[in-house]
Structure formats: structure tokens, C-alpha cells
């Protein structure tokens, strides 16, 4: 196992090599700092890569910062687990949206995030079912 020590905000294209990024609870000590780091990860992580974040729930938030899943722009939240035993930290697992080229009414070559579980994605699935019938 190889360890690199660096401020995550100084790591950009290197992040693309990893299928999973594990963000420790104290990386970002308040909401603003944590969100800046999450935005940075959304920008540089490989499309489709997994982000595992440690968070906190209830009174445990006195000890560790809480990750609000609404702040995970660029990621699809897959799972949130709040332990009820002696374990302090909650776990959030999210996947960075794959980037695909979608035709756009105003700019045909604009790169957009493909959000398979968003309303748009569901509509696409419904449209496919209609076409099948
Ligand atoms: C409480 S320890 C991690 C404990 C444990 N490894 C875990 O699973 O969360 C928090 C770690 O985050 C690192 N850290 C904090 N801010 C960071 C940043 N901006 N970039 C990289 N590492 C950071 C600290 O150096 C420390 O090693």
C-alpha cells in the first residue's frame, strides 16, 4: 500500500485514477469548508467513481461535522447509514455522475451530467417503455 500526504484541495487530475475516494470526517471542519472540498471532488473525481463520506447524526453532530446529502451536487447518493451502537460516525456512499455528451437545444456539444435517477432519467425510461409497446 502506498500513502501520499497532501491537502486534498491541491490534488486535481490525480483523483481520476481512483475508483473509490474515502473522505475522513474531519476533512472540512465546518459546512462551508466541507462543501468546498465536496465540490472539488465532484470536479476532479473520475465519472462513476464512488465517494464514501463520514458524517454524523443527532447528538453525534456535537463531535463531528454533518454531511447534508443535499450538498452532494454532482453525486448520486446511494446509501446513508446512521449507526445506533457505540460507533460515532454515519456513512454516506455516493457515486459521481458519469459525464455523457447530450444534445442540447442551444449548444449541441455541451457536456452535461447524466443523472439516471433524476426526474429527467425516469422520463427517459418511461419514454423507452412507450416506444417498446
Ligand atoms: C480524524 S482523522 C481520520 C480518521 C480516520 N482515518 C477516518 O476514517 O476518518 C482526519 C484526517 O483528515 C486529514 N485531513 C484533514 N483535512 C485534510 C485536507 N484538507 N486534505 C487532506 N487530508 C486532510 C487529517 O490529516 C487527518 O489525518
Amino acid at each position: 500500500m502506498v500513502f501520499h500526504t497532501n491537502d486534498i484541495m491541491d490534488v486535481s487530475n490525480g483523483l481520476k485514477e481512483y475508483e473509490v475516494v474515502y473522505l475522513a470526517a474531519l476533512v472540512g471542519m465546518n459546512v462551508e469548508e466541507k462543501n468546498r472540498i465536496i465540490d472539488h471532488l465532484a470536479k476532479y473525481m473520475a465519472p462513476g467513481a464512488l465517494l464514501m463520506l463520514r458524517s454524523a447524526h443527532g447528538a453525534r453532530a456535537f463531535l463531528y461535522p454533518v454531511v447534508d446529502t443535499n450538498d452532494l451536487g454532482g453525486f448520486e447518493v446511494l446509501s446513508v447509514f446512521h449507526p445506533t451502537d457505540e460507533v460515532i460516525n454515519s456513512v454516506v456512499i455516493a457515486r459521481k455522475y458519469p459525464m455523457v455528451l447530450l444534445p442540447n437545444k442551444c449548444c449541441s456539444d455541451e457536456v452535461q451530467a447524466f443523472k439516471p435517477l433524476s426526474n429527467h432519467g425516469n422520463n427517459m425510461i418511461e419514454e423507452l417503455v412507450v416506444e417498446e409497446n
Side-chain angles (χ1 to χ4, degrees), residues 6-9 22-28 37 54 64:
N6 212 336
D7 186 327
I8 191 62
M9 296 303 281
Y22 182 104
L23 194 70
L26 296 179
V27 184
I37 291 163
R54 299 179 85 208
Y64 286 96

Side-chain angles (χ1 to χ4, degrees), residues 11-133:
V11 184
S12 51
N13 290 330
L15 278 167
K16 293 198 166 51
E17 292 174 33
Y18 298 93
E19 292 174 0
V20 181
V21 172
Y22 182 104
L23 194 70
L26 296 179
V27 184
M29 296 292 285
N30 55 51
V31 173
E32 292 75 26
E33 201 184 341
K34 179 88 71 186
N35 287 347
R36 260 198 310 278
I37 291 163
I38 290 169
D39 288 348
H40 178 80
L41 294 175
K43 186 172 175 189
Y44 289 107
M45 277 173 60
L50 291 172
L51 175 60
M52 208 202 95
L53 310 105
R54 299 179 85 208
S55 181
H57 186 63
R60 291 160 162 91
F62 287 114
L63 298 172
Y64 286 96
V66 174
V67 173
D68 184 343
T69 51
N70 294 315
D71 291 336
L72 291 174
F75 292 92
E76 174 194 4
V77 177
L78 302 178
S79 184
V80 180
F81 178 71
H82 301 301
T84 52
D85 57 10
E86 71 280 5
V87 175
I88 303 286
N89 288 112
S90 302
V91 174
V92 178
I93 300 178
R95 187 192 303 279
K96 185 174 159 182
Y97 287 122
M99 300 297 284
V100 292
L101 291 173
L102 290 178
N104 182 290
K105 279 180 189 147
C106 64
C107 327
S108 60
D109 58 348
E110 189 173 317
V111 177
Q112 299 177 12
F114 177 55
K115 302 179 177 181
L117 295 183
S118 69
N119 287 336
H120 179 71
N122 289 340
N123 290 342
M124 277 176 60
I125 290 167
E126 283 168 17
E127 283 169 22
L128 286 177
V129 171
V130 169
E131 279 181 22
E132 232 173 65
N133 290 339

